[in-house]
mmCIF file of all heavy atoms in Angstrom:
data_model
loop_
_atom_site.group_PDB
_atom_site.id
_atom_site.type_symbol
_atom_site.label_atom_id
_atom_site.label_comp_id
_atom_site.label_asym_id
_atom_site.label_seq_id
_atom_site.Cartn_x
_atom_site.Cartn_y
_atom_site.Cartn_z
ATOM 1 N N ARG A 14 0.819 -1.279 -0.009
ATOM 2 C CA ARG A 14 -0.029 0.031 -0.003
ATOM 3 C C ARG A 14 0.844 1.221 -0.002
ATOM 4 O O ARG A 14 0.425 2.329 -0.586
ATOM 5 C CB ARG A 14 -0.998 -0.018 1.176
ATOM 6 C CG ARG A 14 -0.375 -0.150 2.560
ATOM 7 C CD ARG A 14 -1.476 -0.432 3.617
ATOM 8 N NE ARG A 14 -0.946 -0.690 4.920
ATOM 9 C CZ ARG A 14 -1.529 -1.386 5.802
ATOM 10 N NH1 ARG A 14 -2.659 -1.864 5.574
ATOM 11 N NH2 ARG A 14 -1.016 -1.587 7.051
ATOM 12 N N THR A 15 2.064 1.245 0.559
ATOM 13 C CA THR A 15 2.820 2.494 0.586
ATOM 14 C C THR A 15 3.532 2.741 -0.742
ATOM 15 O O THR A 15 4.072 3.794 -0.981
ATOM 16 C CB THR A 15 3.973 2.380 1.669
ATOM 17 O OG1 THR A 15 4.730 1.187 1.483
ATOM 18 C CG2 THR A 15 3.324 2.337 3.043
ATOM 19 N N GLN A 16 3.432 1.766 -1.708
ATOM 20 C CA GLN A 16 3.990 1.962 -3.080
ATOM 21 C C GLN A 16 2.935 2.316 -4.071
ATOM 22 O O GLN A 16 3.235 2.546 -5.311
ATOM 23 C CB GLN A 16 4.758 0.690 -3.505
ATOM 24 C CG GLN A 16 6.114 0.490 -2.854
ATOM 25 C CD GLN A 16 5.932 -0.154 -1.473
ATOM 26 O OE1 GLN A 16 5.262 -1.178 -1.378
ATOM 27 N NE2 GLN A 16 6.619 0.383 -0.442
ATOM 28 N N LEU A 17 1.686 2.327 -3.610
ATOM 29 C CA LEU A 17 0.553 2.606 -4.519
ATOM 30 C C LEU A 17 0.065 4.001 -4.483
ATOM 31 O O LEU A 17 0.599 4.833 -3.639
ATOM 32 C CB LEU A 17 -0.597 1.583 -4.277
ATOM 33 C CG LEU A 17 -0.235 0.146 -4.407
ATOM 34 C CD1 LEU A 17 -1.375 -0.831 -3.914
ATOM 35 C CD2 LEU A 17 0.088 -0.124 -5.916
ATOM 36 N N ASN A 18 -0.892 4.423 -5.269
ATOM 37 C CA ASN A 18 -1.307 5.723 -5.442
ATOM 38 C C ASN A 18 -2.352 6.152 -4.419
ATOM 39 O O ASN A 18 -3.541 6.144 -4.665
ATOM 40 C CB ASN A 18 -1.872 5.931 -6.842
ATOM 41 C CG ASN A 18 -2.098 7.434 -7.203
ATOM 42 O OD1 ASN A 18 -1.592 8.283 -6.525
ATOM 43 N ND2 ASN A 18 -2.932 7.654 -8.243
ATOM 44 N N ASN A 19 -1.876 6.426 -3.195
ATOM 45 C CA ASN A 19 -2.863 6.770 -2.108
ATOM 46 C C ASN A 19 -2.210 7.733 -1.117
ATOM 47 O O ASN A 19 -1.062 8.146 -1.263
ATOM 48 C CB ASN A 19 -3.186 5.403 -1.340
ATOM 49 C CG ASN A 19 -1.998 4.714 -0.902
ATOM 50 O OD1 ASN A 19 -1.088 5.201 -0.292
ATOM 51 N ND2 ASN A 19 -1.929 3.336 -1.159
ATOM 52 N N SER A 20 -2.999 8.047 -0.087
ATOM 53 C CA SER A 20 -2.497 9.142 0.837
ATOM 54 C C SER A 20 -1.353 8.593 1.689
ATOM 55 O O SER A 20 -0.808 9.463 2.459
ATOM 56 C CB SER A 20 -3.716 9.566 1.648
ATOM 57 O OG SER A 20 -4.252 8.532 2.357
ATOM 58 N N LEU A 21 -1.090 7.344 1.652
ATOM 59 C CA LEU A 21 0.066 6.907 2.389
ATOM 60 C C LEU A 21 1.481 7.149 1.701
ATOM 61 O O LEU A 21 2.478 7.223 2.301
ATOM 62 C CB LEU A 21 -0.022 5.374 2.728
ATOM 63 C CG LEU A 21 -1.315 4.997 3.498
ATOM 64 C CD1 LEU A 21 -1.362 3.438 3.583
ATOM 65 C CD2 LEU A 21 -1.402 5.662 4.770
ATOM 66 N N SER A 22 1.317 7.291 0.328
ATOM 67 C CA SER A 22 2.506 7.481 -0.432
ATOM 68 C C SER A 22 2.636 8.920 -0.938
ATOM 69 O O SER A 22 3.669 9.340 -1.419
ATOM 70 C CB SER A 22 2.577 6.540 -1.658
ATOM 71 O OG SER A 22 1.439 6.719 -2.440
ATOM 72 N N LEU A 23 1.555 9.646 -0.941
ATOM 73 C CA LEU A 23 1.480 11.050 -1.340
ATOM 74 C C LEU A 23 1.620 11.999 -0.178
ATOM 75 O O LEU A 23 1.226 11.628 0.892
ATOM 76 C CB LEU A 23 0.122 11.288 -2.157
ATOM 77 C CG LEU A 23 -0.079 10.423 -3.354
ATOM 78 C CD1 LEU A 23 -1.457 10.663 -3.884
ATOM 79 C CD2 LEU A 23 0.994 10.713 -4.505
ATOM 80 N N SER A 24 2.033 13.179 -0.513
ATOM 81 C CA SER A 24 2.098 14.259 0.576
ATOM 82 C C SER A 24 0.690 14.756 0.837
ATOM 83 O O SER A 24 -0.252 14.639 0.049
ATOM 84 C CB SER A 24 2.983 15.427 0.041
ATOM 85 O OG SER A 24 2.295 16.086 -0.917
ATOM 86 N N PRO A 25 0.461 15.345 1.988
ATOM 87 C CA PRO A 25 -0.822 15.868 2.324
ATOM 88 C C PRO A 25 -1.327 16.973 1.324
ATOM 89 O O PRO A 25 -2.465 17.062 0.993
ATOM 90 C CB PRO A 25 -0.595 16.574 3.708
ATOM 91 C CG PRO A 25 0.464 15.761 4.335
ATOM 92 C CD PRO A 25 1.395 15.455 3.126
ATOM 93 N N GLU A 26 -0.345 17.670 0.777
ATOM 94 C CA GLU A 26 -0.669 18.692 -0.238
ATOM 95 C C GLU A 26 -1.180 18.067 -1.465
ATOM 96 O O GLU A 26 -2.146 18.600 -2.136
ATOM 97 C CB GLU A 26 0.478 19.662 -0.526
ATOM 98 C CG GLU A 26 0.925 20.501 0.620
ATOM 99 C CD GLU A 26 1.829 19.754 1.718
ATOM 100 O OE1 GLU A 26 2.187 18.598 1.370
ATOM 101 O OE2 GLU A 26 1.845 20.242 2.884
ATOM 102 N N GLU A 27 -0.527 16.955 -1.874
ATOM 103 C CA GLU A 27 -0.915 16.290 -3.075
ATOM 104 C C GLU A 27 -2.357 15.646 -2.919
ATOM 105 O O GLU A 27 -3.134 15.649 -3.855
ATOM 106 C CB GLU A 27 0.064 15.131 -3.453
ATOM 107 C CG GLU A 27 1.386 15.706 -3.931
ATOM 108 C CD GLU A 27 2.442 14.598 -4.142
ATOM 109 O OE1 GLU A 27 2.645 13.811 -3.160
ATOM 110 O OE2 GLU A 27 3.007 14.477 -5.236
ATOM 111 N N VAL A 28 -2.615 15.100 -1.694
ATOM 112 C CA VAL A 28 -3.875 14.520 -1.540
ATOM 113 C C VAL A 28 -4.986 15.596 -1.544
ATOM 114 O O VAL A 28 -6.036 15.472 -2.166
ATOM 115 C CB VAL A 28 -3.887 13.770 -0.088
ATOM 116 C CG1 VAL A 28 -5.277 13.452 0.278
ATOM 117 C CG2 VAL A 28 -2.994 12.665 -0.096
ATOM 118 N N THR A 29 -4.673 16.719 -0.951
ATOM 119 C CA THR A 29 -5.663 17.841 -0.927
ATOM 120 C C THR A 29 -5.966 18.300 -2.372
ATOM 121 O O THR A 29 -7.114 18.552 -2.710
ATOM 122 C CB THR A 29 -5.219 19.004 -0.055
ATOM 123 O OG1 THR A 29 -4.945 18.569 1.256
ATOM 124 C CG2 THR A 29 -6.253 20.192 -0.031
ATOM 125 N N ASP A 30 -4.938 18.512 -3.152
ATOM 126 C CA ASP A 30 -5.057 18.942 -4.519
ATOM 127 C C ASP A 30 -5.897 17.929 -5.337
ATOM 128 O O ASP A 30 -6.781 18.360 -6.110
ATOM 129 C CB ASP A 30 -3.678 19.088 -5.180
ATOM 130 C CG ASP A 30 -3.013 20.379 -4.675
ATOM 131 O OD1 ASP A 30 -3.634 21.127 -3.941
ATOM 132 O OD2 ASP A 30 -1.779 20.377 -4.817
ATOM 133 N N LEU A 31 -5.674 16.676 -5.159
ATOM 134 C CA LEU A 31 -6.406 15.642 -5.880
ATOM 135 C C LEU A 31 -7.911 15.687 -5.489
ATOM 136 O O LEU A 31 -8.757 15.599 -6.414
ATOM 137 C CB LEU A 31 -5.785 14.276 -5.623
ATOM 138 C CG LEU A 31 -4.491 13.911 -6.368
ATOM 139 C CD1 LEU A 31 -3.874 12.639 -5.793
ATOM 140 C CD2 LEU A 31 -4.750 13.820 -7.857
ATOM 141 N N ILE A 32 -8.154 15.759 -4.295
ATOM 142 C CA ILE A 32 -9.533 15.813 -3.822
ATOM 143 C C ILE A 32 -10.255 17.097 -4.320
ATOM 144 O O ILE A 32 -11.354 17.054 -4.797
ATOM 145 C CB ILE A 32 -9.644 15.675 -2.325
ATOM 146 C CG1 ILE A 32 -9.111 14.335 -1.863
ATOM 147 C CG2 ILE A 32 -11.096 15.916 -1.819
ATOM 148 C CD1 ILE A 32 -8.997 14.179 -0.340
ATOM 149 N N THR A 33 -9.532 18.208 -4.250
ATOM 150 C CA THR A 33 -10.128 19.560 -4.598
ATOM 151 C C THR A 33 -10.403 19.486 -6.145
ATOM 152 O O THR A 33 -11.408 20.093 -6.591
ATOM 153 C CB THR A 33 -9.140 20.625 -4.292
ATOM 154 O OG1 THR A 33 -8.900 20.595 -2.833
ATOM 155 C CG2 THR A 33 -9.741 22.011 -4.658
ATOM 156 N N SER A 34 -9.522 18.893 -6.829
ATOM 157 C CA SER A 34 -9.662 18.840 -8.342
ATOM 158 C C SER A 34 -10.732 17.881 -8.789
ATOM 159 O O SER A 34 -11.092 17.815 -10.028
ATOM 160 C CB SER A 34 -8.401 18.531 -8.986
ATOM 161 O OG SER A 34 -7.929 17.207 -8.690
ATOM 162 N N GLY A 35 -11.319 17.137 -7.898
ATOM 163 C CA GLY A 35 -12.401 16.204 -8.279
ATOM 164 C C GLY A 35 -11.883 14.849 -8.765
ATOM 165 O O GLY A 35 -12.622 14.100 -9.346
ATOM 166 N N ALA A 36 -10.662 14.506 -8.486
ATOM 167 C CA ALA A 36 -10.074 13.237 -8.824
ATOM 168 C C ALA A 36 -10.887 12.081 -8.156
ATOM 169 O O ALA A 36 -11.146 12.159 -6.947
ATOM 170 C CB ALA A 36 -8.624 13.111 -8.493
ATOM 171 N N PRO A 37 -11.188 11.006 -8.896
ATOM 172 C CA PRO A 37 -11.944 9.912 -8.257
ATOM 173 C C PRO A 37 -11.094 9.187 -7.208
ATOM 174 O O PRO A 37 -9.871 9.125 -7.401
ATOM 175 C CB PRO A 37 -12.229 8.998 -9.371
ATOM 176 C CG PRO A 37 -11.260 9.448 -10.533
ATOM 177 C CD PRO A 37 -10.961 10.785 -10.332
ATOM 178 N N TYR A 38 -11.665 8.790 -6.134
ATOM 179 C CA TYR A 38 -10.899 8.125 -5.100
ATOM 180 C C TYR A 38 -11.912 7.109 -4.343
ATOM 181 O O TYR A 38 -13.139 7.225 -4.463
ATOM 182 C CB TYR A 38 -10.370 9.043 -4.086
ATOM 183 C CG TYR A 38 -11.383 9.838 -3.261
ATOM 184 C CD1 TYR A 38 -11.854 9.363 -2.145
ATOM 185 C CD2 TYR A 38 -11.767 11.107 -3.720
ATOM 186 C CE1 TYR A 38 -12.833 9.990 -1.356
ATOM 187 C CE2 TYR A 38 -12.763 11.858 -3.025
ATOM 188 C CZ TYR A 38 -13.293 11.311 -1.831
ATOM 189 O OH TYR A 38 -14.193 11.981 -1.060
ATOM 190 N N VAL A 39 -11.251 6.272 -3.579
ATOM 191 C CA VAL A 39 -12.046 5.530 -2.620
ATOM 192 C C VAL A 39 -11.314 5.683 -1.298
ATOM 193 O O VAL A 39 -10.120 6.138 -1.248
ATOM 194 C CB VAL A 39 -12.098 3.962 -2.947
ATOM 195 C CG1 VAL A 39 -12.865 3.855 -4.274
ATOM 196 C CG2 VAL A 39 -10.709 3.381 -3.093
ATOM 197 N N ILE A 40 -11.944 5.317 -0.205
ATOM 198 C CA ILE A 40 -11.266 5.346 1.105
ATOM 199 C C ILE A 40 -11.251 3.857 1.565
ATOM 200 O O ILE A 40 -12.272 3.214 1.649
ATOM 201 C CB ILE A 40 -12.032 6.199 2.157
ATOM 202 C CG1 ILE A 40 -12.045 7.651 1.618
ATOM 203 C CG2 ILE A 40 -11.424 6.095 3.503
ATOM 204 C CD1 ILE A 40 -12.863 8.531 2.574
ATOM 205 N N ARG A 41 -10.028 3.473 1.898
ATOM 206 C CA ARG A 41 -9.755 2.064 2.256
ATOM 207 C C ARG A 41 -9.443 1.981 3.824
ATOM 208 O O ARG A 41 -8.928 2.867 4.437
ATOM 209 C CB ARG A 41 -8.588 1.428 1.488
ATOM 210 C CG ARG A 41 -8.840 1.264 0.014
ATOM 211 C CD ARG A 41 -7.604 0.688 -0.738
ATOM 212 N NE ARG A 41 -7.841 0.397 -2.116
ATOM 213 C CZ ARG A 41 -8.354 -0.640 -2.559
ATOM 214 N NH1 ARG A 41 -8.681 -1.681 -1.785
ATOM 215 N NH2 ARG A 41 -8.549 -0.863 -3.911
ATOM 216 N N PHE A 42 -9.853 0.825 4.342
ATOM 217 C CA PHE A 42 -9.496 0.553 5.721
ATOM 218 C C PHE A 42 -8.117 0.169 5.780
ATOM 219 O O PHE A 42 -7.621 -0.702 4.988
ATOM 220 C CB PHE A 42 -10.377 -0.606 6.244
ATOM 221 C CG PHE A 42 -10.191 -0.996 7.676
ATOM 222 C CD1 PHE A 42 -10.579 -0.122 8.664
ATOM 223 C CD2 PHE A 42 -9.508 -2.223 8.005
ATOM 224 C CE1 PHE A 42 -10.358 -0.460 10.027
ATOM 225 C CE2 PHE A 42 -9.359 -2.534 9.320
ATOM 226 C CZ PHE A 42 -9.763 -1.664 10.360
ATOM 227 N N MET A 43 -7.299 0.613 6.696
ATOM 228 C CA MET A 43 -5.942 0.268 6.876
ATOM 229 C C MET A 43 -5.790 -0.862 7.895
ATOM 230 O O MET A 43 -5.767 -0.670 9.122
ATOM 231 C CB MET A 43 -5.037 1.408 7.307
ATOM 232 C CG MET A 43 -3.561 1.133 7.248
ATOM 233 S SD MET A 43 -2.449 2.524 7.077
ATOM 234 C CE MET A 43 -2.668 3.219 8.724
ATOM 235 N N TRP A 44 -5.720 -2.039 7.349
ATOM 236 C CA TRP A 44 -5.586 -3.212 8.247
ATOM 237 C C TRP A 44 -4.261 -3.232 8.946
ATOM 238 O O TRP A 44 -3.185 -3.240 8.270
ATOM 239 C CB TRP A 44 -5.821 -4.504 7.425
ATOM 240 C CG TRP A 44 -6.053 -5.679 8.377
ATOM 241 C CD1 TRP A 44 -5.023 -6.453 8.833
ATOM 242 C CD2 TRP A 44 -7.303 -6.155 8.851
ATOM 243 N NE1 TRP A 44 -5.650 -7.394 9.623
ATOM 244 C CE2 TRP A 44 -6.999 -7.208 9.635
ATOM 245 C CE3 TRP A 44 -8.578 -5.722 8.635
ATOM 246 C CZ2 TRP A 44 -8.029 -7.942 10.338
ATOM 247 C CZ3 TRP A 44 -9.652 -6.458 9.294
ATOM 248 C CH2 TRP A 44 -9.309 -7.533 10.083
ATOM 249 N N PRO A 45 -4.265 -3.311 10.279
ATOM 250 C CA PRO A 45 -3.021 -3.259 10.972
ATOM 251 C C PRO A 45 -2.180 -4.571 10.858
ATOM 252 O O PRO A 45 -2.710 -5.643 10.791
ATOM 253 C CB PRO A 45 -3.411 -3.133 12.535
ATOM 254 C CG PRO A 45 -4.846 -3.627 12.492
ATOM 255 C CD PRO A 45 -5.483 -3.338 11.145
ATOM 256 N N LEU A 46 -0.938 -4.412 10.698
ATOM 257 C CA LEU A 46 -0.028 -5.527 10.549
ATOM 258 C C LEU A 46 0.020 -6.446 11.777
ATOM 259 O O LEU A 46 -0.059 -5.964 12.912
ATOM 260 C CB LEU A 46 1.426 -4.975 10.254
ATOM 261 C CG LEU A 46 2.493 -6.011 9.951
ATOM 262 C CD1 LEU A 46 2.154 -6.737 8.660
ATOM 263 C CD2 LEU A 46 3.855 -5.312 9.747
ATOM 264 N N ASP A 47 0.098 -7.725 11.452
ATOM 265 C CA ASP A 47 0.241 -8.793 12.537
ATOM 266 C C ASP A 47 -0.855 -8.796 13.512
ATOM 267 O O ASP A 47 -0.657 -8.882 14.688
ATOM 268 C CB ASP A 47 1.558 -8.614 13.240
ATOM 269 C CG ASP A 47 2.744 -8.862 12.323
ATOM 270 O OD1 ASP A 47 2.604 -9.568 11.316
ATOM 271 O OD2 ASP A 47 3.891 -8.256 12.565
ATOM 272 N N THR A 48 -2.094 -8.564 12.959
ATOM 273 C CA THR A 48 -3.236 -8.538 13.868
ATOM 274 C C THR A 48 -4.019 -9.899 13.775
ATOM 275 O O THR A 48 -4.310 -10.359 12.623
ATOM 276 C CB THR A 48 -4.160 -7.417 13.438
ATOM 277 O OG1 THR A 48 -3.535 -6.168 13.655
ATOM 278 C CG2 THR A 48 -5.483 -7.395 14.314
ATOM 279 N N VAL A 49 -4.349 -10.448 14.854
ATOM 280 C CA VAL A 49 -5.210 -11.664 14.903
ATOM 281 C C VAL A 49 -6.558 -11.299 15.556
ATOM 282 O O VAL A 49 -6.544 -10.759 16.619
ATOM 283 C CB VAL A 49 -4.494 -12.754 15.698
ATOM 284 C CG1 VAL A 49 -5.370 -13.994 15.804
ATOM 285 C CG2 VAL A 49 -3.139 -13.089 15.113
ATOM 286 N N VAL A 50 -7.541 -11.595 14.787
ATOM 287 C CA VAL A 50 -8.913 -11.237 15.242
ATOM 288 C C VAL A 50 -9.560 -12.502 15.767
ATOM 289 O O VAL A 50 -9.622 -13.554 15.084
ATOM 290 C CB VAL A 50 -9.782 -10.647 14.120
ATOM 291 C CG1 VAL A 50 -11.208 -10.290 14.641
ATOM 292 C CG2 VAL A 50 -9.114 -9.441 13.583
ATOM 293 N N GLN A 51 -10.062 -12.438 16.994
ATOM 294 C CA GLN A 51 -10.704 -13.626 17.578
ATOM 295 C C GLN A 51 -12.174 -13.159 17.913
ATOM 296 O O GLN A 51 -12.380 -12.086 18.486
ATOM 297 C CB GLN A 51 -10.042 -14.115 18.773
ATOM 298 C CG GLN A 51 -8.588 -14.603 18.583
ATOM 299 C CD GLN A 51 -7.942 -15.121 19.786
ATOM 300 O OE1 GLN A 51 -8.614 -15.652 20.702
ATOM 301 N NE2 GLN A 51 -6.671 -15.106 19.918
ATOM 302 N N PHE A 52 -13.087 -13.985 17.643
ATOM 303 C CA PHE A 52 -14.501 -13.661 18.008
ATOM 304 C C PHE A 52 -15.258 -15.000 18.162
ATOM 305 O O PHE A 52 -14.825 -16.080 17.728
ATOM 306 C CB PHE A 52 -15.099 -12.895 16.884
ATOM 307 C CG PHE A 52 -14.814 -13.353 15.485
ATOM 308 C CD1 PHE A 52 -15.509 -14.302 14.888
ATOM 309 C CD2 PHE A 52 -13.789 -12.652 14.801
ATOM 310 C CE1 PHE A 52 -15.252 -14.694 13.613
ATOM 311 C CE2 PHE A 52 -13.526 -13.104 13.479
ATOM 312 C CZ PHE A 52 -14.278 -14.094 12.896
ATOM 313 N N ASN A 53 -16.399 -14.889 18.764
ATOM 314 C CA ASN A 53 -17.275 -16.017 19.073
ATOM 315 C C ASN A 53 -18.557 -15.957 18.304
ATOM 316 O O ASN A 53 -19.166 -14.893 18.363
ATOM 317 C CB ASN A 53 -17.587 -16.144 20.558
ATOM 318 C CG ASN A 53 -18.392 -17.338 20.922
ATOM 319 O OD1 ASN A 53 -17.890 -18.393 20.783
ATOM 320 N ND2 ASN A 53 -19.639 -17.146 21.317
ATOM 321 N N ASP A 54 -18.814 -16.899 17.541
ATOM 322 C CA ASP A 54 -20.029 -16.991 16.767
ATOM 323 C C ASP A 54 -21.034 -17.800 17.534
ATOM 324 O O ASP A 54 -20.637 -18.897 17.923
ATOM 325 C CB ASP A 54 -19.749 -17.587 15.303
ATOM 326 C CG ASP A 54 -20.994 -17.465 14.453
ATOM 327 O OD1 ASP A 54 -21.820 -18.414 14.529
ATOM 328 O OD2 ASP A 54 -21.140 -16.582 13.640
ATOM 329 N N LEU A 55 -22.239 -17.444 17.681
ATOM 330 C CA LEU A 55 -23.268 -18.080 18.460
ATOM 331 C C LEU A 55 -23.599 -19.502 17.880
ATOM 332 O O LEU A 55 -24.163 -20.294 18.606
ATOM 333 C CB LEU A 55 -24.512 -17.309 18.593
ATOM 334 C CG LEU A 55 -24.288 -16.016 19.408
ATOM 335 C CD1 LEU A 55 -25.651 -15.204 19.412
ATOM 336 C CD2 LEU A 55 -23.903 -16.324 20.827
ATOM 337 N N ILE A 56 -23.299 -19.693 16.610
ATOM 338 C CA ILE A 56 -23.533 -21.045 15.912
ATOM 339 C C ILE A 56 -22.240 -21.797 15.749
ATOM 340 O O ILE A 56 -22.211 -23.003 15.990
ATOM 341 C CB ILE A 56 -24.248 -20.739 14.561
ATOM 342 C CG1 ILE A 56 -25.628 -20.088 14.815
ATOM 343 C CG2 ILE A 56 -24.326 -22.113 13.797
ATOM 344 C CD1 ILE A 56 -26.310 -19.756 13.532
ATOM 345 N N ARG A 57 -21.187 -21.173 15.437
ATOM 346 C CA ARG A 57 -19.933 -21.779 15.010
ATOM 347 C C ARG A 57 -18.866 -21.762 16.030
ATOM 348 O O ARG A 57 -17.833 -22.437 15.931
ATOM 349 C CB ARG A 57 -19.435 -21.159 13.765
ATOM 350 C CG ARG A 57 -20.427 -21.354 12.579
ATOM 351 C CD ARG A 57 -20.188 -20.445 11.399
ATOM 352 N NE ARG A 57 -21.409 -20.419 10.573
ATOM 353 C CZ ARG A 57 -21.688 -21.355 9.725
ATOM 354 N NH1 ARG A 57 -20.873 -22.367 9.524
ATOM 355 N NH2 ARG A 57 -22.813 -21.291 9.044
ATOM 356 N N GLY A 58 -19.122 -21.118 17.176
ATOM 357 C CA GLY A 58 -18.146 -21.150 18.215
ATOM 358 C C GLY A 58 -17.004 -20.158 18.049
ATOM 359 O O GLY A 58 -17.087 -19.154 17.309
ATOM 360 N N ARG A 59 -15.858 -20.486 18.605
ATOM 361 C CA ARG A 59 -14.683 -19.621 18.567
ATOM 362 C C ARG A 59 -14.063 -19.631 17.132
ATOM 363 O O ARG A 59 -13.791 -20.727 16.564
ATOM 364 C CB ARG A 59 -13.603 -20.014 19.522
ATOM 365 C CG ARG A 59 -12.633 -19.023 19.978
ATOM 366 C CD ARG A 59 -13.236 -17.881 20.697
ATOM 367 N NE ARG A 59 -12.344 -16.888 21.121
ATOM 368 C CZ ARG A 59 -12.648 -15.675 21.583
ATOM 369 N NH1 ARG A 59 -13.981 -15.356 21.666
ATOM 370 N NH2 ARG A 59 -11.809 -14.792 21.930
ATOM 371 N N ILE A 60 -13.797 -18.415 16.551
ATOM 372 C CA ILE A 60 -13.152 -18.343 15.254
ATOM 373 C C ILE A 60 -11.940 -17.358 15.379
ATOM 374 O O ILE A 60 -12.026 -16.384 16.116
ATOM 375 C CB ILE A 60 -14.137 -17.801 14.216
ATOM 376 C CG1 ILE A 60 -15.351 -18.787 14.061
ATOM 377 C CG2 ILE A 60 -13.456 -17.625 12.906
ATOM 378 C CD1 ILE A 60 -16.432 -18.238 13.185
ATOM 379 N N GLN A 61 -10.859 -17.673 14.712
ATOM 380 C CA GLN A 61 -9.680 -16.882 14.730
ATOM 381 C C GLN A 61 -9.154 -16.565 13.306
ATOM 382 O O GLN A 61 -9.078 -17.520 12.524
ATOM 383 C CB GLN A 61 -8.533 -17.592 15.576
ATOM 384 C CG GLN A 61 -7.228 -16.839 15.691
ATOM 385 C CD GLN A 61 -6.304 -17.523 16.629
ATOM 386 O OE1 GLN A 61 -6.543 -17.512 17.804
ATOM 387 N NE2 GLN A 61 -5.229 -18.078 16.092
#
């Protein structure tokens, strides 16, 4: 993601200019590195 065309690789000024100029974009969730999600499903039990 840091090598792609997004606000992580662009400067704040570049991001502002792109948004102001009407450039199409999406907003992505930044999944944290080395994260393990654990949850309990009422039917399937513990899932990781």
